[in-house]
Each structure stands twice: as structure tokens, then as C-alpha cells.
Amino acid sequence: RPQHSDSGPQTGLAGPRKVASASATASTTLSEPPRRTQENRTRTKVLGLPCFPMEKSAASTEPQGPRPVLGRESVQVPDDQDFRSFRSECEAEVGWNLTYSKAGVSVWVQAMEMDRTLHKIKCRMECRDVPAETLYDKWDSNVIETFDIARLTVNADVGYYSWRCPKPLKNRDVITLRSWLPMGTDYIIMNYSVKHPKYPPRKDLVRAVSIQTGYLIQSTGPKSCVITYLAQVDPKGSLPKWVVNKSSQFLAPKAMKKMYKACVKYPEWKQKHQPHFKPWLHPEQSPLPSLALSELSVQHADSLENIDESAVAESREERVGGAGGEGSDDDTSLT
């Protein structure tokens, strides 16, 4: 997936074709994929924000809603209930600790059980001059490498994603099953980690695990919306406290602001780049080969190597570039 200087976009302002339900779309596997094209490989992978383990907070409480993804034993395309459950978590307030709130961007964290090396982070941003459809079609440029592998159904695919961690930590990557669903004027995109036989962990990266990560985009008007990013990720390693603090205080807000600026530029860009090519809205346009669910398996965290980076000191470059969390928008090393 090539990166673009304008943080690249993905589709225009035209609203998506209505999808009756996730249950209906999940049961339909496509065949005879059309020829691969450049733009389809740029679809957002929904893991562009930093996700690191948090220390247990005395003020935290266990989430009140169901958490079916934690006990996932088989690979399945999310159904209507999964999308509703994700939406409920995005809108929930109980058990979340506010760590950042400024200029229309808020960040919350939720510590998990003491014996787990993961946490949940939730970011919410008000977009007063960006339609919900534009955010739904947004690119993610803050990556090392990302590409689509195959399609599963009309609203689900499998892909690879790697992203930068604050130096000098090792960078992370994931293989995820991603699904998406328009819900009236709102949209949900979410993913979880799977194993693909042709893409094992790499020696130069740490294979992380997305328990569940995604976006809820809620329309608030013809040209405005609110986006909520929710992530529950196991980064597979013991990380230093400065990473924990920087993740919620600086990196997540900065990434959200960069995404917003990219979305503002998106409609004009799309008009010049295949404006009618939208395979995520029109499945018949998809250039990806089909893949059977039986080819995949759930990526469990305990099958991956843990690394101890708890003693790693923050580099001078990171201290200078991340001061105040308001560094240059062109600096993607932090996100």
C-alpha cells in the first residue's frame, strides 16, 4: 500500500451502498476477482494508533459489557451482534479513565486484569467539517508496510499491517481479519488477529495481537461526524513506563489529528484518482483473490514470543520530536 504525501485518502463523498446486515454479507463469498489495481491496496487497516500496556489503575473497573473476542477459538466473520457489541463498547463510559482532553480530542484507557499484558485505549475526535463517509473511506499513512492478502466475504478481508513504535523499541506487525458495516448514517470498521500460513512472524518485527481494534464513525450532520477509535492490543512484550505515558498522552491524540487533516484533503484527491472505484462499497470491484476461512486460524498471544523492553530508555530524537505531542505532522516515527 503506497503512502502519499497528503496522507492519502480512500473514497469520495458519495455515500456507501446500503448493506442489510453483517449476517447477510458474511455468508456470501465472492469468486472470479477482477484484476488487481493500485488503489485497493490502500484500504485502511484500522491499527494506525499506538497501543501499549497500561499499569493497573486503582480507579479502573472491569468492563460491564460482554467481551466475546477474548475467548475466540475459531475464525469467524463478525455478525450483527459483534458489531452491536463493538458499538456499545465505543459508547460506554463506566470503567474508563480519561487521560487526555483537548481541542475536540479525548483519550481514555482501561486497565485489564493484573495477569494480562494488554489494555484498552479509546480515542474520540469531533470532526466539524468532515462527513462521516469521508472518514469511513480514510487512508492510513502512518505505517511501515501494509497490504491486503485476500477477501473472505463482501464485507471482510485479511491483510498485513506493520507500524512504527517509539524509538528505540522494536516495531510491531499483525495479520488481521477486518470487517466493515454501514449502519444507517454510521459506520463501523473492526479487526482481530489471525494466522495465515504464508505470513509467519518476521525476525525484524515483533508480532503483536489485536484482540479487537476498530472505528465507530457517527454522523452528526451533512458535513460533520464523531469518530471513536477503540483498541485492545497485546504488544507482546514488557514496555517501559515512558512508552505507556506517551501512548495515551501524546501519540494517540497526534495520530487522530493527522487523520483529520488527511480527511479534509481527501475529497479533492479522490476526484482525481478513480473517483468511481470503491471496492469496499461495491464488492464486485474487488481485485483480491478469495480465501476460505478454513485457511486461517486465530492468533493466540501465548503462542508468540514475549520480549522484555522495560529497561529501554527513550531516545533523544523521541524526546525532542514528541515534546507536548504537537510535533510536525510530517513526522510519522511516533505513530
Side-chain angles (χ1 to χ4, degrees):
R1 294 182 182 180
Q3 297 183 23
H4 294 256
S5 59
D6 64 353
S7 295
Q10 270 206 3
T11 58
L13 295 176
R17 197 174 48 165
K18 288 188 177 180
V19 178
S21 68
S23 300
T25 56
S27 63
T28 306
T29 302
L30 301 177
S31 59
E32 298 297 328
R35 181 169 53 88
R36 175 179 290 272
T37 58
Q38 185 79 352
E39 185 174 351
N40 183 253
R41 296 199 296 272
T42 61
R43 185 72 173 110
T44 305
K45 253 320 178 219
V46 197
L47 200 61
L49 300 184
C51 305
F52 301 112
M54 310 296 291
E55 293 182 302
K56 183 71 174 179
S57 169
S60 292
T61 61
E62 287 301 309
Q64 303 301 305
R67 295 185 295 164
V69 291
L70 291 179
R72 192 188 301 274
E73 294 298 331
S74 62
V75 176
Q76 298 177 350
V77 174
D79 59 17
D80 291 348
Q81 178 56 42
D82 293 318
F83 280 100
R84 286 194 295 267
S85 178
F86 180 81
R87 181 173 189 157
S88 295
E89 285 212 71
C90 286
E91 296 175 337
E93 298 181 359
V94 177
W96 290 93
N97 302 314
L98 183 66
T99 61
Y100 179 97
S101 183
K102 182 179 179 181
V105 177
S106 299
V107 180
W108 296 264
V109 297
Q110 183 182 78
M112 303 303 290
E113 299 91 337
M114 289 294 289
D115 61 344
R116 300 194 69 89
T117 59
L118 57 89
H119 80 299
K120 290 184 181 179
I121 185 170
K122 179 161 59 178
C123 310
R124 185 170 295 147
M125 177 174 63
E126 300 175 8
C127 302
R128 297 182 179 179
D129 51 359
V130 174
E133 310 92 87
T134 299
L135 270 174
Y136 178 60
D137 297 328
K138 163 72 180 66
W139 274 8
D140 181 2
S141 63
N142 298 322
V143 300
I144 299 173
E145 182 182 14
T146 181
F147 52 87
D148 298 328
I149 297 172
R151 52 182 172 157
L152 300 170
T153 69
V154 295
N155 72 322
D157 62 14
V158 177
Y160 174 84
Y161 187 100
S162 59
W163 73 99
R164 298 178 180 88
C165 292
K167 298 177 182 178
L169 299 180
K170 290 186 177 181
N171 296 322
R172 264 68 177 173
D173 72 349
V174 289
I175 301 290
T176 63
L177 186 158
R178 178 189 54 181
S179 56
W180 54 92
L181 185 68
M183 303 177 71
T185 58
D186 300 341
Y187 308 89
I188 289 179
I189 312 171
M190 60 186 186
N191 72 42
Y192 66 90
S193 282
V194 294
K195 289 194 291 186
H196 189 292
K198 295 184 179 179
Y199 298 92
R202 292 166 44 172
K203 294 182 178 180
D204 58 327
L205 296 168
V206 176
R207 179 61 52 89
V209 178
S210 169
I211 307 299
Q212 182 167 265
T213 302
Y215 294 103
L216 167 63
I217 305 166
Q218 298 172 292
S219 177
T220 56
K223 295 184 178 180
S224 63
C225 63
V226 172
I227 178 171
T228 302
Y229 171 85
L230 176 65
Q232 184 175 355
V233 175
D234 187 339
K236 294 308 299 176
S238 300
L239 300 176
K241 290 183 178 180
W242 64 265
V243 175
V244 171
N245 295 331
K246 199 165 192 174
S247 173
S248 60
Q249 293 289 335
F250 303 137
L251 305 188
K254 182 178 179 180
M256 293 291 277
K257 293 172 185 176
K258 289 179 66 176
M259 181 174 64
Y260 169 76
K261 291 182 178 180
C263 285
V264 171
K265 300 176 182 179
Y266 174 76
E268 181 180 357
W269 181 93
K270 182 58 181 174
Q271 288 301 314
K272 301 176 182 178
H273 297 80
Q274 296 182 292
H276 302 295
F277 180 68
K278 306 173 185 180
W280 42 94
L281 304 181
H282 307 294
E284 66 276 8
Q285 296 179 345
S286 175
L288 294 174
S290 296
L291 180 71
L293 283 175
S294 59
E295 297 292 317
L296 304 171
S297 57
V298 176
Q299 178 65 77
H300 294 292
D302 55 10
S303 67
L304 295 170
E305 179 184 3
N306 275 304
I307 64 168
D308 187 355
E309 296 178 290
S310 58
V312 174
E314 185 176 15
S315 68
R316 182 180 182 279
E317 179 184 353
E318 290 294 326
R319 288 195 301 271
V320 174
E326 304 293 341
S328 168
D329 287 328
D330 295 326
D331 177 14
T332 59
S333 65
L334 302 182
T335 55

